[in-house]
Amino acid sequence: DAGVTQSPTHLIKTRGQHVTLRCSPISGHKSVSWYQQVLGQGPQFIFQYYEKEERGRGNFPDRFSARQFPNYSSELNVNALLLGDSALYLCASTGGGQGLQETQYFGPGTRLLVL
Amino acid sequence: SQQGEEDPQALSIQEGENATMNCSYKTSINNLQWYRQNSGRGLVHLILIRSNEREKHSGRLRVTLDTSKKSSSLLITASRAADTASYFCATVTKGNQFYFGTGTSLTVIP
């Protein structure tokens, strides 16, 4: 079975631009979460979605938004990019309705570089 | 600041030795999870321990949880070179917030 997939794998943008990152969960998983991992630090929670509804939000500015589609895939959008947004963006999915309370399965991540 | 703090930040051991990593957190939790990350890529779930559990085992892994001290430890026995990675604890609060720790970088020398 395919695991969590993310696209693109790498991305280079300039300050002020907008970026969209995509995630497909494991087949049958209905919950998707997004994390930002700056080099040398642990991942930080951005959003969790379950059945297309936002279930959790971390401490990130409104420039960050996300949505989940009927097929449970998800997009993370970041507007007005800053240099500090350069990071590895990770997506994770869970199988049940407990979301963050369960084991999460992570994708390989999208590495974003903002110049 | 992040919920979890781990120590040591870095650990280097010989193959066959045991490795112990500790995680401390700040607020009440529903469960605590440990993850491994190789070379800055995706994380792999290792073990989940709930707040009403004190110890769990999985293969060469042993995790303990002390909610009174707000701390957890991960023990890897008989380490192998393939265990070289960064290890993160993650806490899930009752308010559905998810916090990763700062991580321990483990190097196992063959």
Side-chain angles (χ1 to χ4, degrees):
Chain A
D1 287 340
V4 176
T5 59
Q6 292 185 244
S7 63
T9 56
H10 295 83
L11 199 54
I12 300 175
K13 292 284 189 179
T14 56
R15 281 178 297 175
Q17 285 189 313
H18 161 270
V19 68
T20 297
L21 309 181
R22 296 178 175 82
C23 171
S24 292
I26 291 172
S27 178
H29 284 194
K30 299 180 179 179
S31 175
V32 170
S33 302
W34 286 95
Y35 298 84
Q36 180 197 63
Q37 186 176 24
V38 174
L39 193 62
Q41 297 182 18
Q44 289 198 54
F45 171 64
I46 309 176
F47 288 111
Q48 187 225 344
Y49 276 79
Y50 176 71
E51 291 276 17
K52 296 172 288 181
E53 291 190 4
E54 184 181 301
R55 287 288 186 90
R57 173 185 285 254
N59 188 25
F60 278 80
D62 292 343
R63 299 185 296 107
F64 289 76
S65 63
R67 54 179 176 167
Q68 186 176 33
F69 299 99
N71 66 353
Y72 304 112
S73 67
S74 177
E75 283 183 355
L76 175 70
N77 295 284
V78 186
N79 292 324
L81 285 167
L82 303 174
L83 295 180
D85 295 331
S86 295
L88 179 68
Y89 288 84
L90 296 161
C91 171
S93 72
T94 58
Q98 299 301 311
L100 300 177
Q101 308 291 342
E102 305 172 67
T103 296
Q104 298 193 65
Y105 297 88
F106 281 82
T110 293
R111 193 166 296 280
L112 171 66
L113 177 61
V114 182
L115 300 176
Chain B
S1 62
Q2 290 180 318
Q3 164 83 323
E5 298 290 334
E6 294 175 64
D7 78 275
Q9 289 187 340
L11 181 60
S12 183
I13 59 174
Q14 296 288 330
E15 203 166 31
E17 294 181 334
N18 295 342
T20 300
M21 294 159 246
N22 303 295
C23 169
S24 60
Y25 56 92
K26 297 176 182 175
T27 61
S28 295
I29 61 171
N30 269 0
N31 68 63
L32 186 144
Q33 304 174 28
W34 284 89
Y35 289 83
R36 184 184 75 223
Q37 185 176 39
N38 290 86
S39 303
R41 300 303 291 177
L43 289 93
V44 175
H45 177 262
L46 297 175
I47 203 163
L48 182 154
I49 185 166
R50 302 191 187 284
S51 59
N52 61 353
E53 298 175 309
R54 292 297 168 258
E55 187 171 313
K56 284 192 82 169
H57 296 256
S58 177
R60 295 184 296 111
L61 306 180
R62 172 177 170 256
V63 168
T64 62
L65 178 64
D66 187 336
T67 53
S68 66
K69 295 181 179 178
K70 293 186 170 58
S71 68
S72 174
S73 67
L74 170 67
L75 169 67
I76 304 174
T77 61
S79 63
R80 306 166 182 168
D83 294 329
T84 295
S86 292
Y87 291 82
F88 294 92
C89 68
T91 53
V92 189
T93 70
K94 298 184 193 309
N96 210 39
Q97 287 291 308
F98 196 95
Y99 297 100
F100 276 94
T102 50
T104 293
S105 177
L106 173 66
T107 300
V108 180
I109 303 167

